[in-house]
Amino acid sequence: MSNDPESARGGELEAPLLAPAASASSAADFRHSEYTQPLKSNFWDCTTNLTKVILGAGIMALPRAVALLGCGLGISLLVVVGLLTHFTVHGLVLASDRCRRDTYSSLVRTALGPIPEKVLQATMLLGCLGFEVVYIDIIGDLLLGEAPTYDGLITTWLPQEDRQQWWVGRQLVLAALALGVLAPLGSLRTMGGLGVVNLVGLASLGGFAGATVWLAVAAVTLGRAYELPLGPDLPALGSTTAQQVTGALAVVPILLTAASCHQSVHPLRAMLVPYSRPLLDKVVATSLTLVTALFVVVCVSAYTAFGPNVRGNFLNNLSPAELVPLIGTTAANVVSLAIKAGYAVSLVGSAVLIMFPLRQSLLELVAPAAVLPGSPPVSTRLYLSCTYALLASVYVIAVYVPSIWDVISFVGSVACTIMCFIIPAALLVKYVDKPTLADRLQRAAAWAVGLLGLALFLNVFVGLYLSATQPQAQPSPPSGMGMVSGAGLEEAGKVAMSLHTWLWRAAARAAGPGSDGSLHEVLRWAGWGA
């Protein structure tokens, strides 16, 4: 294969993030060399890893999104998202088997050309970097809490006057987290060593779901339960029809990207032993079923307990003050701390898992000669240098750049639509080419998914225009998943996940005093030369 000039330009990573598995068929063979050893794995290991990849910070945003759209529409969309994700992941695997490529980047270059490959590499790098920053940022908030109480997992045990000392400052705590936890785990060559971390993280998320169900049952028992709405919460979406439509369009992308895992499919493909496409499809289907069931349980239970008061970041509803009326003072304190601790462990696992595609994207951009097909495994020096450089960059952003959630949300949304909808749809259209009815239906579905991805991509910029031209009509920005402090958090949850408002507020801050809030100002801030 290394003599093939097209393969030589594929930007392939010879030492994949996971050691290559033995193939069940020649069409699905992986490249491997004497330098690597097959990783012993099994079906449930792969299912656990994929489930953990999907269950990141997004689960805390979904209850508010479903509350705004209504349980009927919101839960239906969650099920549809699971089906769409399975369909597009199947397309990636099918194309990889046909092209005999074992990374997303090299697959896109071989199938679609160098320009789509560079677009994918840039979006994967920016998207994964954004998610990594969000994970570490939220872990910091969980450990330290928010002003003025600072009631995090560490600071809650300290006297009030000691909670702002330098030795429990954000800089030092996150540095200890990066050096003591993330650096050793992120330096692993495969996901095989993360089994214990992922199991603990999944157990904590299961405990979180169980606690949410407990709160719902307590609300029903006390007569404080809220009736589940089938339709959208129109007053919360806006006061006019136009605002309600744009508000709903701003919430839908949060659900459509809830099961994003495409960046981790190829590492998972290399991990599966024995590899076969039907078995990998089964792994994906099992994982998505578990995830969707967990999403539905959490969303329904959250609304039953808190009703329309569910916030954009559901963790804010799980403070002792809000839990006391449902389960009492002692239980409220225990449950709140337990959920925070479990979620922190879960996010550590997510932060380590997202490092694999993030590091691979960086290697393909900065050291393409080192990752050509047929090359020896990436040297330890280069591998660790990329790992530690990425961790240092993420640390600096998470600690020293305030209010970055707006930009990260924008980048993440754009990246997800390209990675999860547009490119997989193009691969399906190209490689599902038999003149059978089943293949024709799959091609038609692929075109529909591609158009959906394009619509979501354009929705970001349409929202930018609407927010810039009518900022006063937009509600306050949500607290999101990053626990941003401030007095407006109560009202912030009422709009949950509005990408439009994120962009508007970011632009207003950047434009500074004297900005008239016009489209001209926003575009100029975005660097588009308006």
Side-chain angles (χ1 to χ4, degrees), residues 207-407:
F208 161 70
T212 308
V213 172
W214 177 21
L215 295 175
V217 172
V220 172
T221 303
L222 296 173
R224 300 170 58 96
Y226 290 87
E227 183 179 355
L228 300 176
L230 293 179
D233 186 355
L234 296 180
L237 290 172
S239 57
T240 66
T241 302
Q243 293 174 22
Q244 291 166 358
V245 171
T246 55
L249 290 177
V251 175
V252 168
I254 304 303
L255 298 177
L256 291 177
T257 57
S260 172
C261 61
H262 299 66
Q263 71 278 5
S264 299
V265 168
H266 288 86
L268 185 74
R269 181 177 181 261
M271 182 181 180
L272 186 60
V273 176
Y275 171 76
S276 69
R277 194 190 312 157
L279 184 59
L280 185 54
D281 282 342
K282 186 178 179 182
V283 168
V284 176
T286 303
S287 178
L288 289 172
T289 300
L290 294 173
V291 168
T292 303
L294 183 64
F295 286 164
V296 171
V297 168
V298 169
C299 291
V300 171
S301 300
Y303 196 92
T304 301
F306 299 100
N309 298 317
V310 171
R311 304 198 196 167
N313 174 17
F314 182 56
L315 276 177
N316 290 335
N317 287 105
L318 302 178
S319 64
E322 295 205 29
L323 297 184
V324 166
L326 293 174
I327 57 178
T329 303
T330 302
N333 288 318
V334 172
V335 168
S336 181
L337 287 175
I339 289 176
K340 288 180 180 179
Y343 194 50
V345 173
S346 175
L347 288 180
V348 167
S350 297
V352 175
L353 288 172
I354 205 70
M355 178 61 70
F356 285 91
L358 174 59
R359 178 175 44 229
Q360 178 174 315
S361 299
L362 181 63
L363 284 168
E364 291 173 341
L365 283 175
V366 304
V371 294
L372 288 174
S375 301
V378 176
S379 68
T380 300
R381 181 177 180 180
L382 177 60
Y383 188 85
L384 294 181
S385 296
C386 287
T387 300
Y388 298 149
L390 287 169
L391 274 178
S393 301
V394 169
Y395 168 80
V396 170
I397 296 172
V399 171
Y400 294 106
V401 179
S403 302
I404 62 168
W405 183 251
D406 305 295
V407 179

Side-chain angles (χ1 to χ4, degrees), residues 78-148:
L78 285 176
V79 175
V80 171
V81 164
L83 296 174
L84 285 176
T85 302
H86 187 271
F87 178 69
T88 52
V89 168
H90 172 78
L92 288 183
V93 177
L94 172 65
S96 296
D97 288 353
R98 293 282 294 273
C99 294
R100 300 168 64 87
R101 294 292 182 266
D102 59 354
T103 68
Y104 200 170
S105 178
S106 64
L107 168 63
V108 171
R109 181 176 184 98
T110 301
L112 303 177
I115 295 179
E117 180 201 26
K118 294 302 180 185
V119 172
L120 175 69
Q121 288 175 339
T123 54
M124 284 187 69
L125 182 63
L126 292 175
C128 292
L129 183 67
F131 291 135
E132 186 81 359
V133 171
V134 170
Y135 293 153
I136 294 180
D137 197 40
I138 298 177
I139 293 171
D141 287 329
L142 289 170
L143 294 176
L144 301 176
E146 302 176 281

Side-chain angles (χ1 to χ4, degrees), residues 54 156 181 256 288 343 445 489:
I54 299 173
T156 193
V181 179
L256 291 177
L288 289 172
Y343 194 50
L489 288 182

Side-chain angles (χ1 to χ4, degrees), residues 169-182:
R170 193 175 188 85
Q171 294 90 337
L172 185 61
V173 170
L174 288 187
L177 173 73
L179 294 174
V181 179
L182 298 179

